Amino acid sequence: MKKSYIYAFLLIAIVVVAVSYTVNPPIEQAPVENKQQLTANNGASPNGETNNSNEMLNVNSNYEACGKGTLQSPINIEVNETIDEEQAKKLAEQVSLNYDQAIFAVENIGHTIEANSTTLDNSLLMNDKEFKLTGIHFHSPSEHQLNGQYFDMEAQLFHESEEGELAIIGLFIESGKENAVLAEMWDEIPTDGDAAAKLLKNPVDLQQLLPENKEVYQYVGSLTAPPCTEGVNWLILEEPIEMSNEQINRFSSIFLQNNRPIQQLNDRDVYKFNLN
């Protein structure tokens, strides 16, 4: 009698196991093409965050200059600490502007408004090397300081040589009358970073964009955004240009603050001279 109970129990157990296997078959593992796939997530938590701080630091190793560079921009320019006049005069003889008009395509690139020149006819000559104007970036408030003071905005005119060297002219912008030279550009500023670039109908007169007084401060610095490339020739015009409050507010409504903090001067020389 006991054996009958035992046989019945074993039969029921076998049936239950068979049914369970049929309803929930074993999960097939996806094929692994190479062993590296098995270790690709080593050191990472289930949410994708790495547990290896060194690996995190290496993610942007190309941007090392941003944190460790010694020739970084922007800087505070102390007017009374610029290099003596004789050396500045020699430098002034080696720098000249060749500006006329250019049509720009305006684009929101996520961290600033970029106006790209559709022509390479405008240039900056330094030490007999030509730097072609490629575009203009804008920042609010200004990135550079003059005697410890910020301006409402700063326009940066980018130039590049055939060898890829960079020279940037910085324009301080302060509140005042409407800037007619940039009026159309400002009307076309894209508020959406995903929007396509807008080609302006009318050319911008670059000579009219610059202030009447063309005294500049020159120093060697860097890009103010990653990769923070050093060796950039900066020319910062002392006299600001003007934009209306409405124009300034239009930009700051898109980018409330997109300037990089002031960087250490690190004993760099700053020259002051008149830009021809």
Side-chain angles (χ1 to χ4, degrees):
M1 190 71 175
K2 291 182 179 179
K3 289 184 177 181
S4 298
Y5 283 120
I6 293 172
Y7 291 144
F9 177 79
L10 290 175
L11 181 60
I12 292 172
I14 292 171
V15 171
V16 170
V17 171
V19 171
S20 175
Y21 188 90
T22 303
V23 175
N24 299 302
I27 299 173
E28 183 179 359
Q29 185 177 1
V32 177
E33 301 212 357
N34 57 63
K35 292 183 180 180
Q36 290 181 340
Q37 287 182 297
L38 295 175
T39 58
N41 293 324
N42 281 358
S45 61
N47 62 7
E49 295 178 356
T50 182
N51 296 323
N52 187 331
S53 59
N54 290 331
E55 188 171 339
M56 287 293 289
L57 290 174
N58 290 332
V59 170
N60 289 326
S61 58
N62 291 334
Y63 302 164
E64 186 176 5
C66 298
K68 297 182 179 180
T70 58
L71 302 175
Q72 290 293 291
S73 297
I75 62 170
N76 171 46
I77 299 169
E78 291 291 340
V79 174
N80 294 330
E81 296 179 6
T82 55
I83 296 300
D84 68 81
E85 189 174 345
E86 284 304 315
Q87 287 181 277
K89 282 182 178 179
K90 293 179 182 178
L91 186 59
E93 293 172 358
Q94 303 170 17
V95 181
S96 61
L97 269 180
N98 178 29
Y99 272 9
D100 193 2
Q101 296 182 341
I103 290 181
F104 290 86
V106 186
E107 186 178 5
N108 182 329
I109 59 173
H111 63 87
T112 189
I113 295 298
E114 181 177 82
N116 295 307
S117 177
T118 60
T119 176
L120 295 177
D121 293 339
N122 298 284
S123 62
L124 170 68
L125 194 66
M126 298 186 69
N127 299 321
D128 295 324
K129 180 174 291 187
E130 188 175 37
F131 294 77
K132 299 282 191 179
L133 175 71
T134 58
I136 310 174
H137 292 187
F138 298 90
H139 296 272
S140 173
S142 66
E143 295 208 293
H144 290 84
Q145 289 181 338
L146 197 59
N147 290 333
Q149 298 297 313
Y150 284 108
F151 289 80
D152 293 311
M153 289 186 62
E154 183 177 327
Q156 297 172 355
L157 287 72
F158 280 66
H159 305 73
E160 186 172 354
S161 71
E162 288 185 355
E163 295 78 19
E165 297 168 304
L166 296 174
I168 305 175
I169 294 178
L171 293 175
F172 290 128
I173 300 173
E174 65 180 6
S175 177
K177 62 183 179 181
E178 181 185 33
N179 192 305
V181 178
L182 296 176
E184 184 191 358
M185 182 183 295
W186 240 240
D187 289 341
E188 298 296 335
I189 286 180
T191 59
D192 186 356
D194 294 326
K198 296 183 179 180
L199 184 65
L200 301 184
K201 296 178 180 178
N202 300 302
V204 172
D205 190 326
L206 296 168
Q207 283 287 358
Q208 292 298 316
L209 178 62
L210 302 179
E212 185 175 349
N213 180 357
K214 294 182 177 57
E215 284 192 309
V216 298
Y217 297 95
Q218 188 275 336
Y219 78 98
V220 177
S222 73
L223 295 176
T224 61
C228 306
T229 305
E230 296 187 334
V232 176
N233 271 294
W234 279 93
L235 298 158
I236 309 297
L237 282 150
E238 181 178 51
E239 182 181 343
I241 63 173
E242 293 183 358
M243 295 189 86
S244 67
N245 282 329
E246 184 180 355
Q247 288 176 311
I248 292 171
N249 290 337
R250 176 166 172 73
F251 184 89
S252 60
S253 69
I254 306 171
F255 302 103
L256 181 61
Q257 182 176 355
N258 68 336
N259 63 332
R260 188 187 188 192
I262 295 297
Q263 304 295 301
Q264 294 293 325
L265 185 60
N266 293 326
D267 297 322
R268 279 176 282 177
D269 292 331
V270 179
Y271 300 87
K272 183 179 180 179
F273 57 88
N274 192 66
L275 185 61
N276 298 317

